[in-house]
Amino acid sequence: MSGGKIINVNVRDVRFPTSLEQHGSDAMHTDPDYSVAYVVVETEAALKGYGLTFTVGRGTEIVVCAVKALSTLVVGKTLEEITGDFRGFYRLLSSDGQMRWGPEKLISCIDFRYITDALTEQEALDILMKAKTGQKTREEQMLREGYPAYTTSCAWLGYTDQQLTQLCSEALAQGWTQFKVKVGADLQDDIRRCSLIRKLIGPDRTLMIDANQRWDVSEAVTWVTKLAEFRPLWIEEPTCPDDILGHASISKALAPFGIGVATGEQCHNRVMFKQFLQASALQFVQIDSCRVGSVNENLAIILMAAKFNVPVCPHAGGVGLCELVQHLILFDYISVSASLNNRMCEYVDHLHEHFKSPTIIRNAHYMPPKDPGFSCEMLEESVQKHQFPEGEVWRAMEKQEKQ
C-alpha cells in the first residue's frame, strides 16, 4: 500500500553521557558519549520511517547538517519511486553534483560501479542463487538458536581490574564464550589485562583484541607479537583504518602466530573494502551498519566478502548499532555465506532500553527480531530527554557543572 509522498525529514541530535562511567573507552576514544543523528521520515499518509547514524559525541551536529542537506533529495518522492530504481536513488544521494563529498530485485539495489573488477553483477547473482540451497533450514535454525555473538562489554580500556573480573565472571555465568579486550595504550598493562581475562575465561574460549587504530605498522606487529601468548583470534584495527597496504603487511607478519586482522568499522565505502579484500589485508570483514552509504552498500560488501571467502563479523555497540546490524548478519548467513565458521557479531550491553524493539540476546546469541522494520525506532521519551543540548539530561549536567 502506498504511503504517498514523503513530506518531511526530521533529524535530531541525541546524546548519552556514557563517558561518565567510561563505557566505550578505548585507546583512541577515552571519553566517548554515545550519540546519534536520529532521523524520522514522514509521508502524506501519516506513516513514519526511522533511521540513525552513530557518533561519539562532538560532531553529531555536523551529521545533522548533512542529513538536512540531503533531505531535499528525498522530500517529494514516494516509496515506489525510490524502490523502483533503488540503484538510481542511491547514486542520487551519494553522487549529487553539488554535494559530492564524501536474486535480481536485490541485485538491482546495489551500485556495482567501481567494484566490477572484484565482483560483477552476475557473480553476485550466482552467490545468491547458490545460497538458496538450505535457506529455509538456516532461517529455522536462526529462529530457534539465534546468531553467535561476542561481548565487548567486559573489557573497556577505562575499566579497573575489579570491574573486568566482575563483568567477565557475570558474562561467563550468562553463557558467553567469546570475549574482546581493548588494548593499545600501554603494553605492560595490556599483558596484565589479557592475562587476567585469559585466566578467567580459560584456554578454550575465544579471545579477540582491539587497538582502535592506535599503532604504526611496525609497532602493531611488535606489540601484537608480545600478546600472542594469549592466543587472540584477531587484532582489530591495528593501524590507520585507511592504510590498506599497512594492514596487508601486518596480516602477513602475524599469520605465523595464527592471529588474523579484523577491520572495517571505519571503512567508509565499498571501494575501500574491495581493496582490503584484493590485497589480503584482512581476515575478518567488520561491516558497520551506519558507516557506509546505507544497507545497499553493505550488501555489496557482504557479497564481495563471500566472493573472497572472508568471514563477515560486524562491528556493533554504540547507540542502535546492534539493533541495526543484526538484520545484516542474519541476511549474510541465511542468504549469502551459508556459514557460521569463524563468524560472530559484536554485542555491547548499553542503551538498548531506549529502543522500541531492542535487541534480544539469548545464550550469547542474537535472536531474530520479530517486529517489522530496521529496529531503529527510539522511544520518544528517550529522544526528548537526551536531545542535545536542550534535553533534561544535558540541562541537568550543565547546571551541575556551574555549581
CSV table of all heavy atoms in Angstrom, one decimal, residues 109-158:
chain,number,residue,atom,x,y,z
A,109,CYS,N,19.4,-3.3,-6.3
A,109,CYS,CA,19.5,-2.3,-5.2
A,109,CYS,C,21.0,-1.9,-5.0
A,109,CYS,O,21.3,-0.9,-4.3
A,109,CYS,CB,19.0,-2.9,-3.9
A,109,CYS,SG,17.3,-3.3,-3.9
A,110,ILE,N,21.9,-2.6,-5.6
A,110,ILE,CA,23.3,-2.5,-5.4
A,110,ILE,C,24.0,-1.7,-6.5
A,110,ILE,O,23.8,-2.0,-7.7
A,110,ILE,CB,24.0,-3.8,-5.2
A,110,ILE,CG1,23.4,-4.6,-4.0
A,110,ILE,CG2,25.5,-3.7,-5.0
A,110,ILE,CD1,23.9,-6.0,-3.9
A,111,ASP,N,24.8,-0.7,-6.1
A,111,ASP,CA,25.6,0.0,-7.1
A,111,ASP,C,27.0,-0.7,-7.3
A,111,ASP,O,27.8,-0.7,-6.4
A,111,ASP,CB,25.8,1.4,-6.6
A,111,ASP,CG,26.5,2.3,-7.7
A,111,ASP,OD1,26.8,1.8,-8.8
A,111,ASP,OD2,26.6,3.6,-7.5
A,112,PHE,N,27.1,-1.3,-8.5
A,112,PHE,CA,28.4,-2.1,-8.8
A,112,PHE,C,29.5,-1.2,-9.4
A,112,PHE,O,30.6,-1.7,-9.7
A,112,PHE,CB,28.1,-3.3,-9.7
A,112,PHE,CG,27.4,-4.4,-9.0
A,112,PHE,CD1,26.0,-4.4,-8.9
A,112,PHE,CD2,28.1,-5.4,-8.4
A,112,PHE,CE1,25.3,-5.5,-8.3
A,112,PHE,CE2,27.4,-6.5,-7.8
A,112,PHE,CZ,26.1,-6.5,-7.7
A,113,ARG,N,29.2,0.1,-9.6
A,113,ARG,CA,30.2,0.9,-10.1
A,113,ARG,C,31.4,0.9,-9.2
A,113,ARG,O,31.3,1.0,-8.0
A,113,ARG,CB,29.6,2.4,-10.3
A,113,ARG,CG,30.6,3.3,-10.9
A,113,ARG,CD,29.9,4.6,-11.3
A,113,ARG,NE,29.3,5.3,-10.1
A,113,ARG,CZ,28.7,6.5,-10.2
A,113,ARG,NH1,28.7,7.1,-11.3
A,113,ARG,NH2,28.1,7.0,-9.1
A,114,TYR,N,32.6,0.8,-9.8
A,114,TYR,CA,33.9,0.8,-9.2
A,114,TYR,C,34.3,-0.5,-8.5
A,114,TYR,O,35.4,-0.6,-8.0
A,114,TYR,CB,34.0,1.9,-8.1
A,114,TYR,CG,33.6,3.3,-8.5
A,114,TYR,CD1,32.9,4.1,-7.7
A,114,TYR,CD2,34.0,3.8,-9.8
A,114,TYR,CE1,32.5,5.4,-8.1
A,114,TYR,CE2,33.7,5.1,-10.2
A,114,TYR,CZ,32.9,5.9,-9.3
A,114,TYR,OH,32.5,7.2,-9.7
A,115,ILE,N,33.4,-1.5,-8.5
A,115,ILE,CA,33.8,-2.8,-7.9
A,115,ILE,C,33.7,-4.0,-8.8
A,115,ILE,O,33.9,-5.1,-8.4
A,115,ILE,CB,33.0,-3.1,-6.6
A,115,ILE,CG1,31.5,-3.3,-6.9
A,115,ILE,CG2,33.2,-2.0,-5.6
A,115,ILE,CD1,30.7,-3.8,-5.8
A,116,THR,N,33.4,-3.8,-10.1
A,116,THR,CA,33.2,-4.9,-11.0
A,116,THR,C,34.5,-5.7,-11.3
A,116,THR,O,34.5,-6.8,-11.7
A,116,THR,CB,32.7,-4.4,-12.4
A,116,THR,OG1,33.5,-3.4,-12.9
A,116,THR,CG2,31.2,-3.9,-12.2
A,117,ASP,N,35.7,-5.1,-11.0
A,117,ASP,CA,36.9,-5.8,-11.1
A,117,ASP,C,37.1,-6.8,-10.0
A,117,ASP,O,38.0,-7.7,-10.0
A,117,ASP,CB,38.1,-4.9,-11.1
A,117,ASP,CG,38.2,-3.9,-10.0
A,117,ASP,OD1,37.1,-3.5,-9.5
A,117,ASP,OD2,39.3,-3.6,-9.5
A,118,ALA,N,36.3,-6.7,-8.9
A,118,ALA,CA,36.3,-7.6,-7.8
A,118,ALA,C,35.0,-8.5,-7.8
A,118,ALA,O,35.0,-9.7,-7.3
A,118,ALA,CB,36.4,-6.9,-6.5
A,119,LEU,N,33.9,-7.9,-8.2
A,119,LEU,CA,32.6,-8.6,-8.1
A,119,LEU,C,31.7,-8.1,-9.2
A,119,LEU,O,31.3,-6.9,-9.2
A,119,LEU,CB,32.0,-8.4,-6.7
A,119,LEU,CG,30.6,-9.1,-6.5
A,119,LEU,CD1,30.8,-10.6,-6.4
A,119,LEU,CD2,29.9,-8.5,-5.3
A,120,THR,N,31.2,-8.9,-10.1
A,120,THR,CA,30.3,-8.5,-11.1
A,120,THR,C,28.9,-8.8,-10.7
A,120,THR,O,28.6,-9.5,-9.7
A,120,THR,CB,30.6,-9.3,-12.4
A,120,THR,OG1,30.3,-10.6,-12.2
A,120,THR,CG2,32.0,-9.1,-12.9
A,121,GLU,N,27.9,-8.2,-11.4
A,121,GLU,CA,26.5,-8.5,-11.1
A,121,GLU,C,26.2,-10.0,-11.2
A,121,GLU,O,25.5,-10.5,-10.4
A,121,GLU,CB,25.6,-7.6,-12.0
A,121,GLU,CG,25.6,-6.2,-11.7
A,121,GLU,CD,24.5,-5.4,-12.4
A,121,GLU,OE1,23.4,-6.0,-12.5
A,121,GLU,OE2,24.8,-4.4,-13.0
A,122,GLN,N,26.7,-10.6,-12.2
A,122,GLN,CA,26.5,-12.0,-12.4
A,122,GLN,C,27.1,-12.9,-11.3
A,122,GLN,O,26.4,-13.8,-10.8
A,122,GLN,CB,27.0,-12.5,-13.8
A,122,GLN,CG,26.7,-13.9,-14.2
A,122,GLN,CD,25.2,-14.1,-14.2
A,122,GLN,OE1,24.5,-13.4,-14.9
A,122,GLN,NE2,24.7,-15.1,-13.5
A,123,GLU,N,28.3,-12.5,-10.9
A,123,GLU,CA,28.9,-13.3,-9.8
A,123,GLU,C,28.0,-13.1,-8.5
A,123,GLU,O,27.9,-14.1,-7.7
A,123,GLU,CB,30.3,-12.8,-9.5
A,123,GLU,CG,31.3,-13.2,-10.6
A,123,GLU,CD,32.6,-12.6,-10.4
A,123,GLU,OE1,32.7,-11.4,-10.0
A,123,GLU,OE2,33.7,-13.3,-10.7
A,124,ALA,N,27.6,-11.9,-8.3
A,124,ALA,CA,26.7,-11.7,-7.1
A,124,ALA,C,25.4,-12.5,-7.2
A,124,ALA,O,25.0,-13.1,-6.2
A,124,ALA,CB,26.4,-10.2,-7.0
A,125,LEU,N,24.8,-12.5,-8.3
A,125,LEU,CA,23.6,-13.3,-8.5
A,125,LEU,C,23.9,-14.8,-8.3
A,125,LEU,O,23.1,-15.5,-7.7
A,125,LEU,CB,23.1,-13.0,-9.9
A,125,LEU,CG,21.7,-13.7,-10.3
A,125,LEU,CD1,20.6,-13.3,-9.3
A,125,LEU,CD2,21.3,-13.4,-11.7
A,126,ASP,N,25.0,-15.2,-8.8
A,126,ASP,CA,25.4,-16.6,-8.7
A,126,ASP,C,25.5,-17.0,-7.2
A,126,ASP,O,25.1,-18.1,-6.8
A,126,ASP,CB,26.7,-16.9,-9.4
A,126,ASP,CG,26.5,-16.9,-10.9
A,126,ASP,OD1,25.4,-16.9,-11.4
A,126,ASP,OD2,27.6,-16.8,-11.6
A,127,ILE,N,26.1,-16.1,-6.4
A,127,ILE,CA,26.3,-16.3,-5.0
A,127,ILE,C,24.9,-16.5,-4.3
A,127,ILE,O,24.7,-17.4,-3.5
A,127,ILE,CB,27.1,-15.2,-4.3
A,127,ILE,CG1,28.6,-15.3,-4.8
A,127,ILE,CG2,27.1,-15.3,-2.8
A,127,ILE,CD1,29.4,-14.0,-4.4
A,128,LEU,N,24.0,-15.6,-4.6
A,128,LEU,CA,22.7,-15.6,-4.0
A,128,LEU,C,21.9,-16.8,-4.4
A,128,LEU,O,21.2,-17.4,-3.6
A,128,LEU,CB,21.9,-14.3,-4.4
A,128,LEU,CG,22.5,-13.0,-3.8
A,128,LEU,CD1,21.8,-11.8,-4.5
A,128,LEU,CD2,22.2,-13.0,-2.3
A,129,MET,N,22.0,-17.2,-5.7
A,129,MET,CA,21.3,-18.4,-6.2
A,129,MET,C,21.8,-19.7,-5.5
A,129,MET,O,21.1,-20.6,-5.1
A,129,MET,CB,21.4,-18.5,-7.7
A,129,MET,CG,20.7,-17.3,-8.4
A,129,MET,SD,18.9,-17.2,-8.0
A,129,MET,CE,18.3,-18.7,-8.7
A,130,LYS,N,23.2,-19.7,-5.4
A,130,LYS,CA,23.8,-20.9,-4.7
A,130,LYS,C,23.3,-21.0,-3.3
A,130,LYS,O,23.1,-22.1,-2.8
A,130,LYS,CB,25.3,-20.8,-4.8
A,130,LYS,CG,26.0,-22.0,-4.2
A,130,LYS,CD,27.5,-21.8,-4.2
A,130,LYS,CE,28.2,-23.0,-3.6
A,130,LYS,NZ,29.7,-22.8,-3.6
A,131,ALA,N,23.2,-19.9,-2.6
A,131,ALA,CA,22.8,-19.9,-1.2
A,131,ALA,C,21.3,-20.2,-1.0
A,131,ALA,O,20.9,-20.4,0.2
A,131,ALA,CB,23.1,-18.5,-0.6
A,132,LYS,N,20.5,-20.3,-2.1
A,132,LYS,CA,19.1,-20.7,-1.9
A,132,LYS,C,19.0,-22.1,-1.4
A,132,LYS,O,18.0,-22.5,-0.7
A,132,LYS,CB,18.4,-20.5,-3.2
A,132,LYS,CG,18.0,-19.1,-3.5
A,132,LYS,CD,17.0,-19.0,-4.7
A,132,LYS,CE,16.4,-17.6,-4.8
A,132,LYS,NZ,15.6,-17.2,-3.6
A,133,THR,N,20.0,-22.9,-1.7
A,133,THR,CA,20.0,-24.3,-1.2
A,133,THR,C,20.2,-24.3,0.4
A,133,THR,O,21.1,-23.7,0.9
A,133,THR,CB,21.2,-25.1,-1.8
A,133,THR,OG1,21.0,-25.1,-3.2
A,133,THR,CG2,21.1,-26.6,-1.2
A,134,GLY,N,19.2,-24.8,1.1
A,134,GLY,CA,19.3,-24.9,2.5
A,134,GLY,C,18.8,-23.6,3.2
A,134,GLY,O,18.9,-23.5,4.4
A,135,GLN,N,18.3,-22.6,2.5
A,135,GLN,CA,18.0,-21.3,3.0
A,135,GLN,C,16.9,-21.5,4.1
A,135,GLN,O,17.0,-20.9,5.2
A,135,GLN,CB,17.5,-20.4,1.9
A,135,GLN,CG,17.4,-18.9,2.3
A,135,GLN,CD,17.1,-18.1,1.1
A,135,GLN,OE1,16.1,-18.1,0.5
A,135,GLN,NE2,18.1,-17.3,0.7
A,136,LYS,N,15.9,-22.2,3.8
A,136,LYS,CA,14.8,-22.4,4.8
A,136,LYS,C,15.3,-23.0,6.1
A,136,LYS,O,14.9,-22.6,7.2
A,136,LYS,CB,13.7,-23.2,4.1
A,136,LYS,CG,12.4,-23.4,5.0
A,136,LYS,CD,11.7,-22.0,5.2
A,136,LYS,CE,10.5,-22.2,6.0
A,136,LYS,NZ,9.8,-20.9,6.4
A,137,THR,N,16.1,-24.0,5.9
A,137,THR,CA,16.7,-24.7,7.1
A,137,THR,C,17.5,-23.7,8.0
A,137,THR,O,17.4,-23.7,9.2
A,137,THR,CB,17.6,-25.9,6.7
A,137,THR,OG1,16.8,-26.8,5.9
A,137,THR,CG2,18.2,-26.6,7.9
A,138,ARG,N,18.3,-22.8,7.3
A,138,ARG,CA,19.1,-21.9,8.1
A,138,ARG,C,18.2,-20.8,8.7
A,138,ARG,O,18.5,-20.4,9.9
A,138,ARG,CB,20.1,-21.2,7.1
A,138,ARG,CG,21.2,-22.1,6.6
A,138,ARG,CD,22.3,-21.4,6.0
A,138,ARG,NE,21.9,-20.7,4.7
A,138,ARG,CZ,21.8,-21.2,3.5
A,138,ARG,NH1,22.1,-22.5,3.4
A,138,ARG,NH2,21.4,-20.5,2.5
A,139,GLU,N,17.1,-20.4,8.1
A,139,GLU,CA,16.2,-19.5,8.7
A,139,GLU,C,15.5,-20.1,9.9
A,139,GLU,O,15.5,-19.4,11.0
A,139,GLU,CB,15.1,-19.1,7.6
A,139,GLU,CG,14.1,-18.1,8.2
A,139,GLU,CD,13.1,-17.7,7.1
A,139,GLU,OE1,13.3,-18.0,5.9
A,139,GLU,OE2,12.0,-17.2,7.5
A,140,GLU,N,15.1,-21.3,9.8
A,140,GLU,CA,14.5,-22.0,11.0
A,140,GLU,C,15.6,-22.2,12.1
A,140,GLU,O,15.2,-22.0,13.3
A,140,GLU,CB,14.0,-23.4,10.6
A,140,GLU,CG,12.8,-23.3,9.7
A,140,GLU,CD,12.4,-24.7,9.1
A,140,GLU,OE1,13.2,-25.6,9.3
A,140,GLU,OE2,11.4,-24.8,8.4
A,141,GLN,N,16.8,-22.4,11.8
A,141,GLN,CA,17.9,-22.5,12.7
A,141,GLN,C,18.1,-21.2,13.5
A,141,GLN,O,18.2,-21.2,14.7
A,141,GLN,CB,19.2,-22.9,12.1
A,141,GLN,CG,20.4,-23.0,13.0
A,141,GLN,CD,21.7,-23.1,12.3
A,141,GLN,OE1,21.8,-23.0,11.1
A,141,GLN,NE2,22.8,-23.1,13.0
A,142,MET,N,18.1,-20.1,12.8
A,142,MET,CA,18.3,-18.8,13.4
A,142,MET,C,17.1,-18.5,14.3
A,142,MET,O,17.3,-17.9,15.4
A,142,MET,CB,18.4,-17.7,12.3
A,142,MET,CG,19.7,-17.8,11.6
A,142,MET,SD,21.2,-17.4,12.6
A,142,MET,CE,21.8,-19.1,12.9
A,143,LEU,N,15.9,-18.8,13.9
A,143,LEU,CA,14.7,-18.5,14.7
A,143,LEU,C,14.8,-19.3,16.0
A,143,LEU,O,14.3,-18.9,17.1
A,143,LEU,CB,13.4,-18.8,14.0
A,143,LEU,CG,13.1,-17.8,12.8
A,143,LEU,CD1,12.0,-18.4,12.0
A,143,LEU,CD2,12.7,-16.5,13.4
A,144,ARG,N,15.4,-20.5,15.9
A,144,ARG,CA,15.4,-21.4,17.1
A,144,ARG,C,16.7,-21.1,18.0
A,144,ARG,O,16.5,-21.1,19.2
A,144,ARG,CB,15.5,-22.8,16.5
A,144,ARG,CG,15.5,-23.9,17.6
A,144,ARG,CD,15.5,-25.3,17.0
A,144,ARG,NE,16.7,-25.6,16.2
A,144,ARG,CZ,16.7,-25.7,14.9
A,144,ARG,NH1,15.6,-25.5,14.1
A,144,ARG,NH2,17.8,-25.9,14.2
A,145,GLU,N,17.8,-20.9,17.4
A,145,GLU,CA,19.1,-20.8,18.1
A,145,GLU,C,19.6,-19.4,18.2
A,145,GLU,O,20.3,-19.0,19.1
A,145,GLU,CB,20.1,-21.7,17.5
A,145,GLU,CG,19.7,-23.2,17.4
A,145,GLU,CD,20.7,-24.0,16.7
A,145,GLU,OE1,21.8,-23.5,16.3
A,145,GLU,OE2,20.5,-25.2,16.4
A,146,GLY,N,19.4,-18.6,17.1
A,146,GLY,CA,20.0,-17.2,17.0
A,146,GLY,C,21.4,-17.3,16.4
A,146,GLY,O,22.0,-18.3,16.2
A,147,TYR,N,21.9,-16.0,16.2
A,147,TYR,CA,23.2,-15.9,15.6
A,147,TYR,C,24.3,-15.7,16.7
A,147,TYR,O,24.1,-14.9,17.6
A,147,TYR,CB,23.2,-14.7,14.6
A,147,TYR,CG,24.4,-14.7,13.7
A,147,TYR,CD1,24.3,-15.3,12.5
A,147,TYR,CD2,25.6,-14.0,14.1
A,147,TYR,CE1,25.4,-15.3,11.6
A,147,TYR,CE2,26.7,-14.0,13.2
A,147,TYR,CZ,26.6,-14.7,12.0
A,147,TYR,OH,27.7,-14.7,11.2
A,148,PRO,N,25.5,-16.4,16.6
A,148,PRO,CA,26.5,-16.3,17.6
A,148,PRO,C,27.0,-14.8,17.8
A,148,PRO,O,27.2,-14.1,16.8
A,148,PRO,CB,27.6,-17.1,17.0
A,148,PRO,CG,27.0,-18.0,16.0
A,148,PRO,CD,25.8,-17.3,15.5
A,149,ALA,N,27.2,-14.5,19.1
A,149,ALA,CA,27.6,-13.1,19.4
A,149,ALA,C,28.8,-13.2,20.3
A,149,ALA,O,29.1,-14.2,20.9
A,149,ALA,CB,26.5,-12.4,20.2
A,150,TYR,N,29.6,-12.1,20.3
A,150,TYR,CA,30.7,-12.0,21.3
A,150,TYR,C,30.5,-10.7,22.0
A,150,TYR,O,29.8,-9.8,21.6
A,150,TYR,CB,32.1,-12.0,20.6
A,150,TYR,CG,32.5,-10.8,19.8
A,150,TYR,CD1,33.1,-9.7,20.4
A,150,TYR,CD2,32.3,-10.8,18.4
A,150,TYR,CE1,33.5,-8.6,19.7
A,150,TYR,CE2,32.7,-9.7,17.7
A,150,TYR,CZ,33.3,-8.6,18.3
A,150,TYR,OH,33.7,-7.5,17.6
A,151,THR,N,31.0,-10.6,23.2
A,151,THR,CA,30.8,-9.4,24.1
A,151,THR,C,32.1,-8.6,24.2
A,151,THR,O,33.2,-9.1,24.3
A,151,THR,CB,30.4,-9.8,25.5
A,151,THR,OG1,30.2,-8.6,26.3
A,151,THR,CG2,31.3,-10.8,26.2
A,152,THR,N,31.9,-7.2,24.1
A,152,THR,CA,32.9,-6.3,24.4
A,152,THR,C,32.7,-5.5,25.7
A,152,THR,O,33.5,-4.8,26.1
A,152,THR,CB,33.0,-5.3,23.2
A,152,THR,OG1,33.1,-6.0,22.0
A,152,THR,CG2,34.2,-4.3,23.3
A,153,SER,N,31.6,-5.8,26.3
A,153,SER,CA,31.1,-5.0,27.5
A,153,SER,C,32.0,-5.3,28.7
A,153,SER,O,31.9,-4.5,29.7
A,153,SER,CB,29.7,-5.4,27.8
A,153,SER,OG,28.8,-5.0,26.8
A,154,CYS,N,32.8,-6.3,28.7
A,154,CYS,CA,33.6,-6.7,29.9
A,154,CYS,C,34.9,-6.0,30.0
A,154,CYS,O,35.4,-5.9,31.1
A,154,CYS,CB,33.9,-8.2,29.9
A,154,CYS,SG,32.4,-9.2,29.9
A,155,ALA,N,35.4,-5.4,28.9
A,155,ALA,CA,36.9,-5.1,29.0
A,155,ALA,C,37.2,-3.7,28.3
A,155,ALA,O,38.1,-3.6,27.5
A,155,ALA,CB,37.7,-6.2,28.4
A,156,TRP,N,36.4,-2.7,28.5
A,156,TRP,CA,36.7,-1.4,28.0
A,156,TRP,C,38.0,-0.9,28.7
A,156,TRP,O,38.3,-1.3,29.8
A,156,TRP,CB,35.6,-0.4,28.3
A,156,TRP,CG,34.3,-0.7,27.7
A,156,TRP,CD1,33.1,-1.1,28.2
A,156,TRP,CD2,34.0,-0.6,26.2
A,156,TRP,NE1,32.2,-1.2,27.3
A,156,TRP,CE2,32.7,-1.0,26.0
A,156,TRP,CE3,34.8,-0.3,25.1
A,156,TRP,CZ2,32.1,-1.0,24.8
A,156,TRP,CZ3,34.2,-0.3,23.9
A,156,TRP,CH2,32.9,-0.7,23.7
A,157,LEU,N,38.8,-0.1,28.0
A,157,LEU,CA,40.1,0.2,28.5
A,157,LEU,C,40.1,1.0,29.8
A,157,LEU,O,41.0,0.9,30.6
A,157,LEU,CB,40.8,1.1,27.4
A,157,LEU,CG,42.4,1.1,27.5
A,157,LEU,CD1,42.9,-0.3,27.4
A,157,LEU,CD2,43.0,2.0,26.5
A,158,GLY,N,39.0,1.8,30.1
A,158,GLY,CA,38.9,2.6,31.3
A,158,GLY,C,38.5,1.8,32.5
A,158,GLY,O,38.4,2.4,33.6
